[in-house]
Amino acid sequence: MTATGNAEGFGASVKRKEDQRFLTGKGNYTDDINRRGQSYAHFVRSPHAHARIRGIDASAALAMPGVLTVLTGQDVAADKLGGLICGWTIHSKDGSPMKAPAHPILALDEVRFVGDHVAVVIAETASQAKDAAEAVAVDYDVLPAVVSTADAAKPGSPLVHADVPSNLCYQWELGDKAATEAAFKNAAHIVSLDLVNNRLIPNPMEPRAAVGDYDSGTGTFTLFTTSQNPHLARLVLSAFVGIAPEHKLRVVAPDVGGGFGSKIFIYSEEAVCVWAAKKVDRPVKWTSDRSEAFLSDAHGRDHVSHAELAVDAEGRFLGLHVRTTAAMGAYLHTFSAAVPTYLYGTLLAGQYTTPAIYVEVDAVFTNTAPVDAYRGAGRPEATYLLERIVECAARDLGKDPAELRRLNFIRKFPYATPVALEYDVGDFDASMDRALELAEYSTFPARKAEAARRGKLRGIGFSAYIEACGLAPSRVAGALGAGVGLFESAQVRFNPTGNVQVFTGCHSHGQGHETTYAQLVSEHLGVSLDNIEIIHGDTAQVQYGLGTYGSRSGSVGGSAIIKAADKIIAKGRKIVAYRMEASVDDIEFKAGVFKVAGTDKQMTIAEVAFNAYVPHNYPLEELEPGLDENAFYDPQNFTFPSGTHICEVEIDPETGVTQIVKFTAVDDFGRIINPMIVHGQVHGGIAQGIGQAMLEGCHYDEETGQLITGSFMDYCMPRADDLPNFTIDATETACTHNPIGVKGCGEAGAIGSPPAVINAVTDAIGIRHMDMPATPERVWRAIQSTRLPRAAE
Amino acid sequence: MYEFSYHKASSVAEAAGLIASHPDAKLMSGGQTLIPTLKQRLAAPSDVIDLSKIAELKGIKVAGNVVTIGAGTLHAEVAASKDVQAAIPALAALAGNIGDAQVRNRGTLGGSIANNDPAADYPGAVVALGATVITNKRRIAGDDFFTGMFETALEADEIVTAVEFPKAEKANYQKFPNPASRYAMVGAFVAKTASGVRVAITGAGPTVFRWNDAEAALSKSLTAAALDGVKASADNLNSDIHASADYRAHLIGVLAKRAVVALG
Ligand SMILES: Cc1cc2nc3c(=O)[nH]c(=O)nc-3n(C[C@H](O)[C@H](O)[C@H](O)COP(=O)(O)OP(=O)(O)OC[C@H]3O[C@@H](n4cnc5c(N)ncnc54)[C@H](O)[C@@H]3O)c2cc1C
């Protein structure tokens, strides 16, 4: 696609159309939706990490004011509803499928984490429901629990599910074991590293909410919910939970205040609200409070890994062996099995030519909230591990970390990695060069010396990441165990007056689709932005779609829109040919105007649209009325954004307080539709990555399984004053296999930044490794450890 | 929250009458601690007696060597007060660093000290400056007021009406904020007062305490170097996911030194 000079099209930083309503308080979120006769749900949640339910006595609750009903797992079972599912089946080394224990929407006989859903009270008001929930008497037989990822599979650990031995969900492998072992035999150096990827709690600004509604006149259910992918919610609630057939279930995801992955998933609460709506014949609303969100939103990350890198005498990487234990939490979740496998192991080549890679992942159940995709999903874990061990290699070998990376860069594309991906394009030198320049790497020693004179420790750290996004070629996903296709659909509809409605399956919850998609259409069809409306989030309006995650909306959703727009152009050419009595082959289209080649005969696309709806005398055998096309686009490959992040920190050695003084990110996202929006995505992503590296960490009490970080008093979110001004730039190699050349930018910031931060902190202190988050105490202790030997001298 | 009856008191006497006749009532000033507690259903008072509209609890007066601050005075008002800034700049600075702007515009001195959160800032000032807490019943020396974690010398129906802060010759407060809550993980308030050097440590232990060893050393020489070799004991200090007792003990030393340096 070539730029037409459209000031609102490709490459223009136009302001976000959606911000008018968001910034003036006119957004319409799920909690803003109130249905006539609405009742309210409150969930009774387990106070124990693991317990058998001996019985539930709801009689006192039922007698309380305003209570309509109390429903439990027994009621779910009586209605023969199915449970929540994991949409991806992973197979173990021995070929056996993963263990997928039942996950009922209300616990039947056992609870497995603090916050697990035991029962629901439906009442006239939210506070009546809450009051009555306290009166539901649950008789628990408390069982031993395990919350530690590292300990879960150890002999003697309590079993989360009695029928899952050693708590092992699966034992997966990828890569060539023999070749990797051989590489280690030939190595001049072996660099090894143990690390933890800390568990995170997503905390989108808007907590989850749901309103279930049932129309007994038509037998139709409607669910308004905080979802990143309403069609997937409908599919799961219909096909697996069995609430209603798809054509009798409408799912609407209105404005959604952030998700970061946590709203991809299909949760108990929304299933219960829509199911209960029929049982009480009233709309049922539930809005999570922040405490519930901490307990019951799916968490992210949570890996414990051991890695070894084989290196030759010059510093070339020969082989990588990784062993990871990944927590699943108490139950498998919508995508959880895929995250530490196909979204993780496949990324371990990074930007490097390492010829042999072998990765083993044990997924374990623990008595904690389920763990699923969280911004980056698997790729941050891979990038952190790889960029940490590469940094250790540079330190162990006494090499410049930038040069060691460069020595190993992939430079020939397409490149087939030893871990199942084929990178179509990239230029890792370009982003590294630009980042080094912007970060003023060459003068770092002077800054370090100056900081030392002020008594401060200054360090610099790199991260050269690559990630796979644009989920996903259905062919590949299917071969790897996905239960759904991962195409995207789009419909482009011209109204008779020439304006355009575009229907997309990619929901927008902060990404700015309503602007960027409009820009794509504006560029492609020559229609002004004001005349384009993007419609998403409603299964009754949008034909189909797989939703927004995995940075897929631009590359997959955008390509679907272009495909539909191309059909509009094709149809328009037919109409113009007919009207102008010319041959279709002679009709040219550019910037919104159809022309008969070599003549001055032309029609604007708006005129064509009007004509299409006034089809007087159309040869109906050859030409249908209307200008409304849909398309399904299935990508040929993943897209591979990459880049270099460089972090510079200064540490106060007396207290361990670490300040990020400079952060540089140079990313290659392929072609960029709206640079301002992309910058926003990068800023947010880096902030989240710095949050993981410096501040955030979910803690459960090892003894009781209680969530210790259950509020913002203890769970530390990044704030503006924790962050420096970011220095951001882009290099560009266009994606080769989609029509718009875009790769995706939504997660890269959170993927690339954590290792850059830890590499900088450890560089400043002069140690090899420190686990995230680099809290003041951890940093202070690490500094103490470097000083002990000297004190002993 | 659970249901309760709400009373808006218009005088201390009225509030005292209400609290005496409603044994399960709670006083409320800024509500910055009480309301979240109610919302999380961690307390179920029968009645809430709102002190925030009582004029006699508000205001700042300087008379001679004493700064008297009404219990209902907002943190933001203390921070912005020219009188406090001139008389005890460290106190104004402390108030200006509590929580965030919203909290400072609701939270009060009386509520803060009555609550006695171990991580609160004001207790450090009350103790280090040798302040006197005035209630509707009596005067309580700052040293005697804070008795334990979330515990004070107040009786169940006693209302803090003001705090008298004697001016200090020099004073400084150094706060190490908890990264998550931004309350004090450790705070060190050092003051050179008419009765000698006083060092109060907040955030680190179950309640504010005076660091006697540091006071002794600084009484001989009010210099950071005087604290070399003076180590705070980690015994009885708080330990949690944010900071171990050892680390808190270390921070006490660092912050106390920094406060001394800042005294000038
Ligand atoms: C987000 C947040 C951040 C915060 N950060 C900090 C911080 O960094 N440092 C810090 O020190 N504090 C901090 N606080 C606490 C805040 O500063 C208030 O001082 C504190 O919440 C209590 O003051 P209040 O006026 O709101 O009291 P309330 O919440 O109204 O009352 C607290 C308690 O004191 C009792 N009480 C109130 N007034 C009186 C009185 N006159 N006599 C007797 N008893 C009384 C009440 O019965 C109640 O038990 C923070 C609070 C929040 C919400």
Side-chain angles (χ1 to χ4, degrees):
Chain A
M1 221 172 92
T2 52
T4 57
N6 180 339
E8 299 179 331
F10 231 104
S13 285
V14 297
K15 288 198 178 133
R16 302 200 327 163
K17 292 173 70 141
E18 45 272 76
D19 284 344
Q20 176 65 29
R21 72 175 188 279
F22 293 148
L23 298 178
T24 57
K26 296 286 163 56
N28 183 36
Y29 296 88
T30 300
D31 191 51
D32 294 324
I33 290 166
N34 293 300
R35 308 290 281 180
R36 177 191 273 236
Q38 179 172 288
S39 62
Y40 293 83
H42 191 87
F43 287 84
V44 176
R45 295 179 185 278
S46 171
H48 304 294
H50 197 187
R52 198 164 294 119
I53 299 173
R54 285 212 210 92
I56 300 176
D57 180 358
S59 52
L62 283 165
M64 287 177 68
V67 174
L68 300 174
T69 190
V70 177
L71 301 170
T72 69
Q74 301 290 350
D75 300 297
V76 174
D79 279 9
K80 301 198 165 43
L81 291 187
L84 299 173
I85 53 135
C86 177
W88 206 299
T89 302
I90 298 299
H91 288 82
S92 285
K93 293 168 189 170
D94 64 7
S96 62
M98 67 187 188
K99 307 272 189 322
H103 186 185
I105 61 173
L106 292 172
L108 189 56
D109 44 19
E110 215 167 301
V111 287
R112 296 188 172 84
F113 68 100
V114 173
D116 205 351
H117 331 87
V118 178
V120 66
V121 179
I122 316 257
E124 296 288 346
T125 70
S127 37
Q128 285 172 337
K130 198 168 185 178
D131 286 343
E134 285 180 11
V136 174
V138 186
D139 184 7
Y140 292 108
D141 179 10
V142 178
L143 301 171
V146 59
V147 300
S148 153
T149 306
D151 292 346
K154 288 191 179 147
S157 276
L159 294 184
V160 179
H161 298 272
D163 52 353
V164 179
S166 304
N167 292 316
L168 280 166
C169 176
Y170 55 75
Q171 296 188 284
W172 176 84
E173 66 179 346
L174 180 70
D176 188 333
K177 187 177 183 187
T180 306
E181 276 168 5
F184 276 82
K185 293 216 176 73
N186 300 326
H189 309 276
I190 293 175
V191 182
S192 68
L193 182 64
D194 288 286
L195 54 75
V196 170
N197 202 291
N198 44 330
R199 179 189 272 244
L200 302 177
I201 303 179
N203 281 312
M205 193 164 330
E206 179 206 23
R208 290 186 294 120
V211 182
D213 201 351
Y214 176 68
D215 180 340
S216 59
T218 61
T220 306
F221 290 85
T222 304
L223 171 64
F224 300 88
T225 184
T226 47
S227 174
Q228 300 179 213
N229 44 359
H231 283 90
L232 204 64
R234 185 180 67 166
L235 179 70
V236 171
L237 293 172
S238 176
F240 298 95
V241 183
I243 304 277
E246 270 183 289
H247 67 299
K248 291 290 184 188
L249 176 58
R250 174 183 175 197
V251 178
V252 184
D255 285 331
V256 172
F260 310 116
S262 71
K263 292 173 183 164
I264 300 171
F265 322 126
I266 291 78
Y267 288 90
S268 296
E269 293 90 347
E270 51 200 350
V272 167
C273 283
V274 67
W275 166 63
K278 182 176 178 184
K279 296 197 88 72
V280 296
D281 201 13
R282 298 268 297 270
V284 176
K285 180 182 216 169
W286 169 76
T287 304
S288 170
D289 63 26
R290 186 58 71 183
S291 307
E292 281 183 289
F294 272 100
L295 288 175
S296 68
D297 288 0
H299 296 173
R301 318 279 192 256
D302 201 344
H303 286 194
V304 178
S305 296
H306 174 78
E308 294 187 7
L309 181 67
V311 186
D312 76 8
E314 280 81 51
R316 282 192 191 82
F317 308 153
L318 302 175
L320 176 69
H321 185 178
V322 175
R323 275 206 317 271
T324 292
T325 305
M328 295 285 103
Y331 302 96
L332 280 172
H333 213 248
T334 314
F335 278 123
S336 59
V339 176
T341 49
Y342 291 109
L343 296 177
Y344 168 70
T346 51
L347 270 301
L348 287 168
Q351 299 190 351
Y352 313 114
T353 54
T354 318
I357 300 175
Y358 178 61
V359 50
E360 300 166 277
V361 178
D362 289 356
V364 295
F365 290 109
T366 56
N367 292 108
T368 62
V371 181
D372 206 330
Y374 171 64
R375 200 171 193 171
R379 293 100 85 210
E381 295 90 315
T383 303
Y384 181 66
L385 180 138
L386 188 61
E387 289 304 292
R388 277 269 52 240
I389 200 166
V390 165
E391 196 80 17
C392 286
R395 289 178 196 168
D396 292 359
L397 274 61
K399 299 233 180 229
D400 179 274
E403 288 317 307
L404 183 73
R405 285 177 169 87
R406 238 192 249 287
L407 181 68
N408 288 282
F409 274 167
I410 295 163
R411 293 197 176 81
K412 286 206 187 75
F413 297 92
Y415 177 84
T417 73
V419 275
L421 294 178
E422 186 177 284
Y423 301 162
D424 62 330
V425 70
D427 184 347
F428 306 142
D429 289 290
S431 47
M432 176 63 86
D433 289 345
R434 183 74 181 127
L436 290 176
E437 183 188 330
L438 288 173
E440 301 172 283
Y441 182 55
S442 59
T443 53
F444 172 72
R447 295 195 293 282
K448 188 176 175 76
E450 186 278 330
R453 285 195 290 279
R454 285 183 285 112
K456 297 283 162 58
L457 304 173
R458 199 156 173 130
I460 196 161
F462 293 82
S463 165
Y465 75 92
I466 187 163
E467 59 133 334
C469 59
L471 302 182
S474 297
R475 172 182 48 85
V476 178
L480 302 180
V484 289
L486 284 165
F487 55 85
E488 195 43 77
S489 99
Q491 181 172 357
V492 176
R493 176 189 300 164
F494 273 76
N495 294 317
T497 49
N499 44 44
V500 187
Q501 289 171 295
V502 179
F503 300 81
T504 170
C506 286
H507 184 271
S508 183
H509 37 278
Q511 297 85 353
H513 295 3
E514 292 168 36
T515 306
T516 39
Y517 282 164
Q519 286 181 264
L520 271 184
V521 173
S522 172
E523 170 92 25
H524 207 68
L525 296 180
V527 179
S528 73
L529 279 195
D530 286 347
N531 283 322
I532 303 166
E533 199 69 20
I534 306 297
I535 293 145
H536 61 88
D538 182 353
T539 60
Q541 292 194 72
V542 176
Q543 58 292 346
Y544 199 69
L546 275 309
T548 293
Y549 41 82
S551 305
R552 68 192 300 277
S553 299
S555 61
V556 188
S559 295
I561 290 172
I562 292 299
K563 204 172 165 191
D566 281 339
K567 291 185 184 178
I568 291 280
I569 296 171
K571 174 84 180 278
R573 290 174 66 214
K574 277 174 136 182
I575 294 172
V576 174
Y578 167 68
R579 279 292 174 219
M580 300 290 184
E581 295 176 342
S583 154
V584 171
D585 295 338
D586 289 339
I587 310 300
E588 297 167 346
F589 178 73
K590 204 179 158 202
V593 180
F594 291 90
K595 281 199 171 103
V596 182
T599 74
D600 58 0
K601 290 196 211 167
Q602 63 175 57
M603 278 175 89
T604 66
I605 196 163
E607 288 166 344
V608 170
F610 184 75
N611 205 282
Y613 289 98
V614 190
H616 303 167
N617 310 324
Y618 266 28
L620 296 170
E621 298 293 303
E622 296 148 43
L623 191 59
E624 278 178 38
L627 193 59
D628 185 356
E629 298 287 346
N630 72 27
F632 287 76
Y633 173 83
D634 203 314
Q636 293 163 31
N637 191 357
F638 296 90
T639 61
F640 298 98
S642 63
T644 300
H645 289 194
I646 302 179
C647 177
E648 199 165 319
V649 300
E650 202 167 280
I651 298 174
D652 172 356
E654 278 190 328
T655 59
V657 169
T658 302
Q659 205 195 341
I660 297 181
V661 288
K662 198 168 165 74
F663 198 100
T664 307
V666 177
D667 302 289
D668 177 355
F669 297 136
R671 296 195 62 210
I672 288 175
I673 302 169
N674 184 319
M676 178 195 73
I677 288 179
V678 168
H679 271 203
Q681 291 287 312
V682 173
H683 278 220
I686 296 173
Q688 256 166 325
I690 290 175
Q692 168 162 33
M694 307 268 305
L695 306 163
E696 298 182 49
C698 170
H699 290 264
Y700 282 95
D701 185 277
E702 296 270 333
E703 299 290 309
T704 64
Q706 297 294 326
L707 181 63
I708 297 173
T709 49
S711 82
F712 293 129
M713 294 293 280
D714 287 306
Y715 189 87
C716 188
M717 296 293 284
R719 296 174 217 201
D721 67 353
D722 294 314
L723 308 168
N725 281 324
F726 303 130
T727 306
I728 288 172
D729 202 2
T731 58
E732 183 179 312
T733 59
C735 170
T736 59
H737 57 76
N738 68 39
I740 45 180
V742 309
K743 295 179 179 172
C745 67
E747 296 159 290
I751 293 168
S753 55
V757 175
I758 296 298
N759 288 340
V761 170
T762 51
D763 177 57
I765 304 171
I767 55 169
R768 258 179 122 244
H769 181 64
M770 166 181 304
D771 278 326
M772 302 186 286
T775 59
E777 176 161 10
R778 271 199 182 144
V779 171
W780 174 74
R781 285 194 181 280
I783 295 167
Q784 298 306 108
S785 75
T786 64
R787 292 183 174 176
L788 280 177
R790 220 182 304 155
E793 270 166 23
Chain B
M1 45 183 93
Y2 299 109
E3 277 190 7
F4 54 80
S5 302
Y6 171 85
H7 310 267
K8 190 189 321 182
S10 52
S11 68
V12 173
E14 186 191 348
L18 285 165
I19 187 94
S21 57
H22 297 87
D24 293 327
K26 268 279 183 194
L27 299 171
M28 179 172 80
S29 288
Q32 294 301 289
T33 294
L34 186 66
I35 299 280
T37 314
L38 297 179
K39 281 171 82 175
Q40 290 180 69
R41 299 187 160 214
L42 296 172
S46 60
D47 299 77
V48 167
I49 302 161
D50 187 352
L51 308 178
S52 67
K53 299 291 181 297
I54 301 178
E56 61 193 290
L57 290 179
K58 292 181 189 299
I60 297 164
K61 283 192 286 294
V62 183
N65 263 337
V66 177
V67 180
T68 305
I69 302 180
T73 310
L74 306 178
H75 307 332
E77 291 167 346
V78 175
S81 161
K82 296 269 177 296
D83 287 339
V84 181
Q85 286 169 4
I88 315 174
L91 184 60
L94 174 149
N97 220 355
I98 293 175
D100 49 46
Q102 292 91 327
V103 168
R104 291 193 291 275
N105 279 305
R106 295 292 307 178
T108 65
L109 169 60
S112 176
I113 64 169
N115 190 50
N116 194 20
D117 189 311
D121 295 299
Y122 266 132
V126 170
V127 169
L129 293 166
T132 303
V133 178
I134 303 172
T135 76
N136 60 331
K137 300 187 172 183
R138 57 188 166 140
R139 298 168 60 86
I140 307 171
D143 277 335
D144 303 330
F145 185 79
F146 303 102
T147 53
M149 192 178 274
F150 295 107
E151 280 173 17
T152 67
L154 291 172
E155 288 161 17
D157 59 351
E158 196 168 8
I159 300 171
V160 178
T161 57
V163 179
E164 287 179 4
F165 293 95
K167 282 187 199 170
E169 206 175 295
K170 296 173 179 181
N172 186 267
Y173 178 59
Q174 295 285 323
K175 172 176 182 173
F176 190 102
N178 174 312
S181 72
R182 305 261 170 118
Y183 274 72
M185 200 153 88
V186 177
F189 203 116
V190 177
K192 186 171 184 216
T193 71
S195 59
V197 178
R198 296 168 68 101
V199 180
I201 304 299
T202 188
T207 187
V208 63
F209 62 90
R210 283 174 67 182
W211 187 18
N212 298 323
D213 294 350
E215 289 184 359
L218 293 171
S219 300
K220 289 188 199 119
S221 156
L222 191 50
T223 58
L227 290 178
D228 286 346
V230 184
K231 291 237 174 325
S233 162
D235 294 349
N236 302 322
L237 295 189
N238 301 334
S239 190
D240 54 38
I241 58 166
H242 304 287
S244 65
D246 284 344
Y247 180 55
R248 279 190 163 91
H250 166 74
L251 287 178
I252 288 172
V254 173
L255 297 180
K257 274 191 187 175
R258 289 183 182 179
V260 171
V261 169
L263 288 177

